[in-house]
Each structure stands twice: as structure tokens, then as C-alpha cells.
Amino acid sequence: MQQQRDVVIGLEVHVQLTSLKTKLFCSCPSDYRGKPPNTYTCPVCLGLPGSLPVVNKKAIEFAVMAALALNCQVSERAVFFRKNYFYVDMSKNFQISMYDRAGGTPIGRGGYVDIDVDGTRKRVRISRIQLEEDPARLVHLGPIEFSPYTLVDYNRAGIALLEIVTEPDLSSPKEARIFLQKLRSILEHCGIFDGSLEGSMRCDANISLAGGARVEIKNITSFKEVERALSFEIARQRELLKRGQQVRRETRHWDEDRRMTFTLRVKEEEHDYRYFPEPDLVPIVITEGFIERVRSMMPELPDHRAERFMREYGLPEYDARVLTSEKALADFFEACVKLYPNPKKVSNWLMTDTMRVLNEYNLDWSSIKMKPEHLAELLKLMDDGVISIKIAKLLIFDVVLRGIPPSKLVEEKGMKRIVDVNYLSQLVEKVFQEFPK
Ligand code: ZN
Ligand code: MN
């Protein structure tokens, strides 16, 4: 029986398969970021009449791997559908996507992700995971509703996307953020996704409060934004309900810069996308052998890695979970422990001191300049008595933010610890003489 919850949240996440070299249905390169607009295109991803799509086999492999990693049941057959709509971001006026009705099956169904919220495990069910093509990127001048024009960049059109839909199992903005973080870590461990790339993970959220209708929030561009967007929406809906007003069923747009949501469209009924099977693509048969082959290639996933960190390095569960919450962080930890075999100390310096620097400058792990050998060197300098812990906590700012080796910083800044007692007593004498009071 479903317990009555005050806040009910479900997510629909779009994740680019950034490790693919080419797009989903053509051989255009997929590293479109930073390239001149509309240069990574061909007749297929421009949707020109007569062009024919061919499925990227590697994309199917990656999607099956993601489905397995999210504990889903993998379908035996994947059929692409046309999702028809008229909008400039899809020049052929339909998106090739999988569909879970009318004989269609998504690539995976009925999975789950376990997340840790304040020390408690919680299971978030995944209703489905499917493969589809990314639409073009739209560029506006200022906020979308005031922009005098829309620019379209088809470089992104046709990039392979995974659509991952959760059941409405989340109960707070914080849980939503933790879920997306975990999802990112899982997909990064699979080696199919790099979450540090701008716009590689986007999310729509459904949220309802007891007594109000369900509101959909579109255009949340990162897992950090999701917490903000949902918090704003909860406050807005609570205020309406408190004043006895209605929360209408609608779709709202999250404006990252102004940090607010506003009405995009009021939903009278479901969109009619007139889905039908894509006649230019044959159904894809996913054999048991194919699934087993993908399963055998599966790398270690975050939950297993955390367990290994506890076993192999004797870390407390909390440390193990935090360190594996991001693949790059877990990789850093292991590389550093190889050079400085004191796991708990390395963990402490990563989780407290390094994180403090990043938080202070509002940076995430991907922008860190520190190398594992730098942290190992810093810890050794302390062990050897060359620097004190106080100095180390000062130096780590320059190491993290600028990637300067600690030994060089000590040399440059003359921050060596003074161990000569005679010299120190002379200094003390001198200070007392100059400032007798
Ligand atoms: Zn193309
Ligand atoms: Mn979609």
C-alpha cells in the first residue's frame, strides 16, 4: 500500500551516450561541443527527404548495458517509432524514439536504483529506459519568452540519448539530486557517459503536493539545478494551497538564471504524437547471447565498488559511499592510495579539505587541478615534518585550484616548518624585546 506523502516527485532523465564516436542514425561525429554551428551534419541528421537512418550498433550495446546496470529487464525486441511533432529542433517533424505502447517496447523495464539519504537506503524504481535521438540545440537571446529569435544548431541533432523514467518514488528535492548523482555515477562507471560535459544530462520533473495537481517542470539542465527547481516549485505550490488557490495541471519552464519556474503551457490533454513504427528501420532483436556478452563486459558499479572500498581499504561505509558517488573521485582515491598507502587519511583529505576548497569556490570535481601525486606529496611532507597540518590546509587551495605541486609551493612561499629550537627562542626573545607589553 502506498503511504500518503506530502511531496511526490518523478523524474524523466535524458542522458547522452557521450562515449559513442558517432550519432545514433548516421556517421556524423558526436563530439559537437565547441564546434561551429551546423557543421556536424549530414542529410540524415538534417532530416532531408529521402535520407535513410541506420542504427548505431554500439548504441544498442550501451543502452543494454545501462538497462542491466539499472537492474532492468531487457526486452527481446526493440522497435523504433516516430514521435510526430512540429518544431524547429527536429527538422523532419518527428523524433525517432522507442515507445512503450502500440506494440513497442523500451529497451529496459522494471529496474531500480538504490540511493542513500541521510544514512538510510531507499529504492527508486525505474519504470523504463529507452533509446532516442537528441533534437537540435536551440539558442535564445536572454529568457526564452522574451527572445526576439531562436537560433538552431543541428550539430546536436541525432546524438544518441537514453531516456530514463522513474516511478514517482522521490519525496524531496534532495532525494532527486541524490538520485541523479547516483545515476550519473552508475553510467560513468559503465564507461558510456561523461556527466561533466555541458548538457549531457537533462531532466524533466513531475511534482505534486497533497491537494494539488501534478506539475511538470522542463529544461532542468543539471543535477544541481534539479534541487533548486523543485524547491522553488514546492514553495510556489505550498503558497497557492495555503491561500486556498488551485495548483493547476501545467507544464512549467525552469529559468536557471532567474531561478524560477514559469508557465510554458497549460495541459488540457495529453499531446497526440501519433506514434507509429518507423518504417525505415527494422525491429532489433536482442538475443540472450548479446545480453550475456554485454553483461560479461560490465565494469564494477558504484555499489560494488563501495563494498570493495570497505573490504579492501577498511573504510567506513560513509566514506566508501561518498568516494564512489563520482567515478573521477573514486579513481582519484585509488590512484592516491597506491602512492600513499594510508586509505583513511587520503579519504579524510579528499572528503573534508579538498571538498571544502571546491565548495568555497562553487566548483565540482571535474574542475579540480590536483593530481593524485600532489595529494600524496602533501601528506608525505606532513609526515616528514617539513610542513605542519596548518600549512598543509593552506597549501591545498593552490594545489586543488591551480595544480601546483606542494613541494614547489613550500619552496616558493618559504613555508617550511622551522624545527631549529635555538632559532625559535631567538625570535621569541626579539619579539619580547620589541614589544615588552
Ligand atoms: Zn548526420
Ligand atoms: Mn524523450
Side-chain angles (χ1 to χ4, degrees):
M1 206 173 63
Q2 180 99 23
Q3 197 191 326
Q4 186 65 39
R5 285 176 299 154
D6 182 34
V7 177
V8 176
I9 298 168
L11 299 176
E12 186 179 310
V13 193
H14 286 97
V15 174
Q16 291 181 336
L17 293 173
T18 54
S19 298
L20 290 176
K21 294 202 165 56
T22 54
K23 293 185 179 182
L24 183 53
F25 299 117
C26 62
S27 54
C28 288
S30 55
D31 59 333
Y32 66 88
R33 288 181 176 78
K35 301 294 187 305
N38 299 305
T39 53
Y40 279 32
T41 56
C42 73
V44 174
C45 56
L46 283 176
L48 300 187
S51 63
L52 289 171
V54 177
V55 177
N56 183 337
K57 190 176 174 188
K58 202 81 189 157
I60 303 288
E61 191 183 300
F62 283 4
V64 168
M65 186 179 278
L68 292 172
L70 302 179
N71 307 295
C72 288
Q73 184 122 39
V74 179
S75 304
E76 294 160 13
R77 241 165 81 99
V79 185
F80 283 102
F81 276 65
R82 286 188 181 182
K83 179 183 183 180
N84 298 279
Y85 68 94
F86 181 73
Y87 200 50
V88 283
D89 67 359
M90 231 5 133
S91 55
K92 55 188 187 290
N93 294 336
F94 59 84
Q95 178 192 32
I96 305 180
S97 169
M98 288 173 175
Y99 191 46
D100 59 353
R101 270 167 276 178
T105 46
I107 215 138
R109 262 202 278 232
Y112 63 86
V113 171
D114 289 331
I115 58 171
D116 299 283
V117 187
D118 303 323
T120 334
R121 276 239 121 173
K122 172 167 185 166
R123 181 156 290 187
V124 181
R125 290 167 300 155
I126 304 290
S127 87
R128 64 187 154 87
I129 167 169
Q130 66 181 35
L131 203 51
E132 60 192 38
E133 56 181 336
D134 208 349
R137 203 169 68 90
L138 302 182
V139 181
H140 297 101
L141 182 71
I144 184 171
E145 79 272 37
F146 302 128
S147 181
Y149 56 75
T150 299
L151 298 173
V152 192
D153 180 5
Y154 286 100
N155 284 353
R156 199 183 73 183
I159 293 286
L161 269 191
L162 284 181
E163 182 183 286
I164 300 164
V165 183
T166 77
E167 299 286 351
D169 290 346
L170 298 155
S171 310
S172 70
K174 184 179 171 188
E175 282 185 15
R177 192 220 337 125
I178 293 172
F179 168 80
L180 289 181
Q181 216 160 351
K182 182 78 180 269
L183 181 65
R184 171 180 170 173
S185 184
I186 292 170
L187 298 174
E188 286 190 336
H189 274 86
C190 285
I192 61 179
F193 170 65
D194 178 356
S196 70
L197 295 173
E198 194 243 319
S200 59
M201 182 185 254
R202 304 177 317 253
C203 157
D204 300 336
N206 282 305
I207 175 165
S208 61
L209 266 58
R214 200 182 66 182
V215 172
E216 191 182 358
I217 314 170
K218 292 241 174 229
N219 186 46
I220 306 171
T221 53
S222 75
F223 64 87
K224 271 179 262 162
E225 290 294 318
V226 85
E227 198 170 7
R228 279 190 195 136
L230 287 169
S231 299
F232 174 88
E233 203 40 38
I234 289 174
R236 186 189 70 86
Q237 292 183 22
R238 259 201 221 301
E239 189 56 33
L240 284 175
L241 293 168
K242 212 174 77 188
R243 283 194 259 143
Q245 283 172 318
Q246 223 186 358
V247 176
R248 10 170 229 186
R249 174 143 189 210
E250 61 179 348
T251 301
R252 298 176 71 86
H253 179 94
W254 169 243
D255 188 319
E256 217 172 274
D257 299 322
R258 291 184 293 171
R259 293 199 181 164
M260 56 183 291
T261 63
F262 61 88
T263 302
L264 205 59
R265 54 179 177 262
V266 179
K267 227 173 206 175
E268 298 295 340
E269 60 213 273
E270 278 296 328
H271 264 289
D272 183 8
Y273 289 117
R274 295 174 295 120
Y275 278 97
F276 63 86
E278 164 63 68
D280 291 336
L281 289 167
V282 293
I284 293 155
V285 178
I286 303 171
T287 63
E288 201 51 51
F290 183 81
I291 297 171
E292 277 322 303
R293 200 170 58 78
V294 175
R295 201 191 295 277
S296 71
M297 294 189 307
M298 285 267 273
E300 187 183 39
L301 297 178
D303 281 345
H304 283 127
R305 199 171 191 187
E307 278 158 30
R308 180 168 62 77
F309 277 17
M310 290 189 266
R311 210 172 51 233
E312 207 174 304
Y313 302 117
L315 291 181
E317 184 175 355
Y318 179 74
D319 290 42
R321 297 256 175 248
V322 172
L323 291 172
T324 53
S325 68
E326 209 157 333
K327 182 173 183 291
L329 175 58
D331 290 347
F332 188 107
F333 167 79
E334 292 211 84
C336 194
V337 167
K338 278 211 179 81
L339 303 167
Y340 186 89
N342 184 336
K344 184 57 186 152
K345 204 161 170 186
V346 171
S347 166
N348 287 347
W349 275 80
L350 283 175
M351 287 175 38
T352 54
D353 303 279
T354 307
M355 287 303 178
R356 198 190 48 207
V357 177
L358 293 177
N359 288 339
E360 215 155 294
Y361 286 82
N362 199 17
L363 297 169
D364 56 23
W365 188 265
S366 59
S367 49
I368 197 166
K369 296 284 191 311
M370 179 169 75
K371 298 269 179 303
E373 49 270 32
H374 295 154
L375 182 56
E377 192 183 66
L378 191 75
L379 298 177
K380 273 181 201 148
L381 285 171
M382 265 193 293
D383 290 350
D384 296 344
V386 179
I387 55 170
S388 64
I389 185 163
K390 250 180 131 173
I391 297 291
K393 282 180 191 278
L394 274 178
L395 292 183
I396 198 160
F397 276 84
D398 274 334
V399 182
V400 168
L401 300 171
R402 295 160 66 206
I404 304 175
S407 53
K408 210 177 150 202
L409 284 171
V410 170
E411 215 53 64
E412 273 176 9
K413 301 194 175 187
M415 275 177 154
K416 263 196 191 133
R417 181 178 186 172
I418 301 164
V419 283
D420 186 335
V421 180
N422 283 333
Y423 178 65
L424 281 175
S425 21
Q426 277 170 27
L427 280 184
V428 172
E429 279 306 318
K430 209 178 147 206
V431 171
F432 278 147
Q433 275 165 18
E434 277 178 34
F435 304 98
K437 281 189 181 168

